[in-house]
Amino acid sequence: METNKKPIHLVINEEGHDFLVDETESLLNVLRGAGYYSVKSGCDDGTCGICMVLMNGKPTLSCKTKAIQVDGAQITTLEGLSKGDELHPLQEAFVETGAIQCGFCTPAQILAAKALLDKNSDPSDEEVRKALNGVLCRCTGYVRTVDAVQRAAAEMRGEKIVAVEVLERELPEQINQIDLPAEYYRMNNEKQTLPPVVFTPKGMKATKVVGKGEVKVDARKLAQGKPVFTDDIKMEGMLYGALLTSPHAHARIRKIDASKARALPGVKAVLTHVDIPRIKYASGGQSYPQPHPYDQVSLDNKVRHVGDRVAIVAAETPEIAQQALELIEVDYEVLLAVVDMEAAMQEGAVVIHDEDDTEGIYDAKHNIVVHIDAEVGDVEKAFAEADQVFEGEYRTPMQQQAHLEPHVCITYFDEDERMIIRTSTQVPFHIRRMVAPLIDMPVKDIRVIKPRIGGGFGNKQELILEDICALLTKATGKPVRMEFTRTQEFISSRRRHANIVRYKVGIKGEKVTAADLYLIGDTGAYGCHALTVNMVGGFKGLTLYNPPNSRFVSDVVYTNTVPAGAFRGYGAMQCEYGIEVLMGEIAEKIGYDMVEFKRINWLKMGEEMYLSKQLGEGREGVEQSLKTTAMAECVDIGRKLTDFDDKRKRYLDQKGRYRKGIGMAVVMHGSGIADLDMAAATLKMNDDGSFNLLIGATDLGTGSDTILGQIAAEVLGIPLEDVIVYSSDTDFTPFDTGAYASSTTYISGGAVKKAAEKVKAMILDHAANMLDVSDVSSLVLGDRKVQAADGRSVTMEEIALSSLHQLNQHQIMATASHVSSLSPPPTAAQFVEIDLDMETGHITPERLLMVVDCGRVINPLTAAGQVEGGMSQALGFALTEEMLFDQDGQPLNPSFGKYHIPRASQMPPTDVVFVQTDEPSGPFGAKSVAEISIDGVAPAMASAIHNATGVWMRELPYTPERVIKNLKAS
Ligand code: FES
Ligand code: FES
């Protein structure tokens, strides 16, 4: 094999290296093979940019560069930027500003910025965005990235750098009294994003570590490009797994012959549906028992979407694995496909799940996987008594999560013959439980390790690769690695449910008295999250305005498209979009100010959420009421900061080609799933008074490891640096349902707080012993020590050493679990300003502002990052992102070249303001922030388009073609 290879010499980070490469081998492959793991891969067509390196000083896509053609080149990777422990100013700035979330794009972002600064030491923001444009980031919205580059540039110019800012203000009685620097009011066409603002109501208890913009605990290693992700290891004898996917949207496999593939030298295993037992499962990573139906098997004799699993291969190299896939002969009986969710329900439509061993499909003959029906009050009576009744139908598209790190998994047997699954997952504990029957091993013999994750947004709350990778390890006895290509991410992973959202709303005077929501959900080929996503949609969509007479009916439908799963926003964003647009339409029709009409009707403090008991996410819910909200303050602050009322009036009379518009929407979300989500945390004291915090919670890049560390540090009176956070490994960290449902801060944070309080009690007990104090309550813990009333004190280190080695020896440690019977909603107001070209229909977003009540903000920098990133994904949802299929179910845009997520230069100034509330059930008053951030841009965009043009648009995304069509129709 080696004979076809040719020698090349590369100077990588100033060190010479010799390689033998074949003609087609990419520079990316060579660099990763040589251990330069900072160089990442995220696409198949040269569009993501995250494989970027500097070649002879120039940004270069290593995936598109043949190694053989660059013999002698000087290559710089991120590993080459820091000198020992000393970071390059760009790395420092990325760490300090919070520009790093998952960190998967960070190496390429930093190198792109370095190339810019090497040429231009004083770039404008626009130039920075242009330089970063080639490197996609799905997490950040590029806000802090641009800030980081500017800070590094200033430092490299020798200028004095001001600390990263968060503006803290007391919330005044009257919103008119808020005093922020003039630029926050955007009267001066200022284009830059501004530092986040945190408003705190009078009397809210001060905290020391909680509430501070601490640097993320993993930021430094991510800024250095250290090998922290699933795929950043190479194991001795590791095989490469590959998946054969279906070219047809619907077909039966009449025969499958893998003999030629098996005969190929280097192939170690080929498995098809005839080689493995038929065990039914549901792939959505949810709590036990998982909602029905169990409509999948690891490899089936029928395929139901293009990209469905057909066969798997393990081979010595990725190339041999690909060749083997091509040698598998499949005889398909191609069946009619149905891709339209309404057509799929019709009598006579092709039946997608005609197998007889799937239990729990509501109406398989009509492809209805789930039917939901819930009502409170008397809806028909309320409609009959209403002054007016309004109806509207809204459509939302399939959206791809588009995390930059693809699904990737490495499985192997350890020395005790236990199956180790190293995987990029949001739900390690669910994966362990779900995979066990599929690979016929007991849970106790499976260990799931979750390294750092390069983004997930719900798509990694799913069993995608782990079962088939482990089956290949079982078949070969060898370590096996499997990774999706970007195309497979689009056709074989999951996506957001497309929805048809039909509302009927009755009003009496200006009060909404009745609402009926009929929701059709497109779950694609399998019902992974069919029940729960649409149930959440109904609950949130009918609770935002909470009429006492509400009815929710939903049909969730199979189609021959890629399955729908979890995606940030999880049904709520689709239904809140519908009701928000309809509320705007109603206000216009009844001649009422839109904001005031919403204000009269939105869910108020203390109000019971009428449908909470009936719509409990797959099981009976819990009665809930709103305990904290700053909705009104969020709206009024946003109005003031955007000059909303004046602009809105001014924009009504526009003529000409380019029109401005400003819009707003209110939104709410939840914090975990009431009485279902459970998290545990363990805290263990070390000799030096530091602590290990072991958590099953899963940081997807959100910063949850950091904020959980802050919660522990706050209770224990220590700085964050004394908490070593580790997540997650099913052997060593306690259980956590995982990172979804906006649960981590609220539920996992609750567990950490409880564990820390137990540890605190143990510390105080031991200190009382050491100090010979009988009244423990007289002791004060803080500043790394325990102090007695008489001024004597013992340090944390002294307490640790004493408890471990001297006095009444014991380990100071505790584990605590937390569930909550509440899911307190964060609330927010979203503002959008646009410029709309009446001739082309093109919308240019000019500003996004979200004013958010997420309870106590545990870390304003990471929370702002969440909101900025959420708004950026929401902007894609509103304007460009839509997975398309032809009538035969063939995907039309499964690549970043055709499916457009926002790039740096497409993001407008994106500002975040927090209005803190003190949620009594949350850790230090916290609720959640992760998902609410994505809920508001689309309806606020609709409101802005209406302000600019007088037209209400009811179907997303608002592409130029759709805008023009609507303008013409009006
Ligand atoms: Fe090279 Fe995407 S991996 S551009
Ligand atoms: Fe950019 Fe996650 S931080 S992709």
Side-chain angles (χ1 to χ4, degrees), residues 40-43 46-51 61 63:
K40 305 295 185 201
S41 167
C43 73
T47 47
C48 79
I50 62 168
C51 62
L61 296 181
C63 73

Short mmCIF file of all heavy atoms in Angstrom, two decimals, residues 40-43 46-51 61 63, ligand 1:
data_model
loop_
_atom_site.label_atom_id
_atom_site.label_comp_id
_atom_site.label_asym_id
_atom_site.label_seq_id
_atom_site.Cartn_x
_atom_site.Cartn_y
_atom_site.Cartn_z
N LYS A 40 -10.28 21.16 12.39
CA LYS A 40 -11.55 20.43 12.45
C LYS A 40 -12.13 20.24 11.06
O LYS A 40 -11.74 20.91 10.12
CB LYS A 40 -12.57 21.21 13.29
CG LYS A 40 -12.10 21.56 14.70
CD LYS A 40 -11.90 20.32 15.52
CE LYS A 40 -11.55 20.64 16.96
NZ LYS A 40 -10.88 19.50 17.61
N SER A 41 -13.12 19.37 11.01
CA SER A 41 -13.82 19.14 9.75
C SER A 41 -15.31 19.26 10.02
O SER A 41 -15.81 18.70 11.00
CB SER A 41 -13.48 17.74 9.25
OG SER A 41 -14.35 17.40 8.22
N GLY A 42 -16.02 19.98 9.15
CA GLY A 42 -17.45 20.17 9.41
C GLY A 42 -18.32 20.12 8.18
O GLY A 42 -19.52 20.36 8.27
N CYS A 43 -17.73 19.85 7.00
CA CYS A 43 -18.59 19.80 5.81
C CYS A 43 -17.93 18.94 4.75
O CYS A 43 -16.78 18.52 4.89
CB CYS A 43 -18.86 21.20 5.27
SG CYS A 43 -17.44 21.95 4.46
N GLY A 46 -16.44 22.22 1.30
CA GLY A 46 -15.63 23.43 1.40
C GLY A 46 -16.40 24.67 1.76
O GLY A 46 -16.00 25.78 1.40
N THR A 47 -17.49 24.53 2.51
CA THR A 47 -18.31 25.71 2.81
C THR A 47 -18.32 26.12 4.28
O THR A 47 -18.78 27.19 4.61
CB THR A 47 -19.78 25.46 2.39
OG1 THR A 47 -20.16 24.18 2.88
CG2 THR A 47 -19.94 25.52 0.89
N CYS A 48 -17.82 25.27 5.18
CA CYS A 48 -17.93 25.63 6.61
C CYS A 48 -16.71 26.41 7.11
O CYS A 48 -16.82 27.20 8.04
CB CYS A 48 -18.17 24.39 7.47
SG CYS A 48 -16.70 23.41 7.81
N GLY A 49 -15.57 26.15 6.55
CA GLY A 49 -14.37 26.92 6.91
C GLY A 49 -13.65 26.48 8.17
O GLY A 49 -12.59 27.04 8.51
N ILE A 50 -14.18 25.48 8.89
CA ILE A 50 -13.57 25.21 10.20
C ILE A 50 -12.31 24.34 10.10
O ILE A 50 -11.67 24.05 11.10
CB ILE A 50 -14.57 24.60 11.20
CG1 ILE A 50 -15.09 23.26 10.72
CG2 ILE A 50 -15.72 25.55 11.48
CD1 ILE A 50 -15.84 22.52 11.80
N CYS A 51 -11.95 23.97 8.87
CA CYS A 51 -10.69 23.25 8.68
C CYS A 51 -9.56 24.22 8.36
O CYS A 51 -8.46 23.81 7.98
CB CYS A 51 -10.84 22.27 7.52
SG CYS A 51 -11.20 23.12 5.97
N LEU A 61 -8.23 26.47 3.22
CA LEU A 61 -9.09 25.35 3.63
C LEU A 61 -8.29 24.06 3.49
O LEU A 61 -7.97 23.63 2.37
CB LEU A 61 -10.34 25.30 2.76
CG LEU A 61 -11.29 26.50 2.86
CD1 LEU A 61 -12.50 26.30 1.97
CD2 LEU A 61 -11.73 26.72 4.31
N CYS A 63 -9.22 21.09 3.98
CA CYS A 63 -9.98 19.97 3.38
C CYS A 63 -9.92 20.01 1.86
O CYS A 63 -10.09 19.00 1.21
CB CYS A 63 -11.43 19.98 3.85
SG CYS A 63 -12.43 21.29 3.13
FE1 FES B 1 -13.14 22.33 5.06
FE2 FES B 1 -15.70 22.51 5.80
S1 FES B 1 -14.24 21.02 6.39
S2 FES B 1 -14.53 23.89 4.57
#
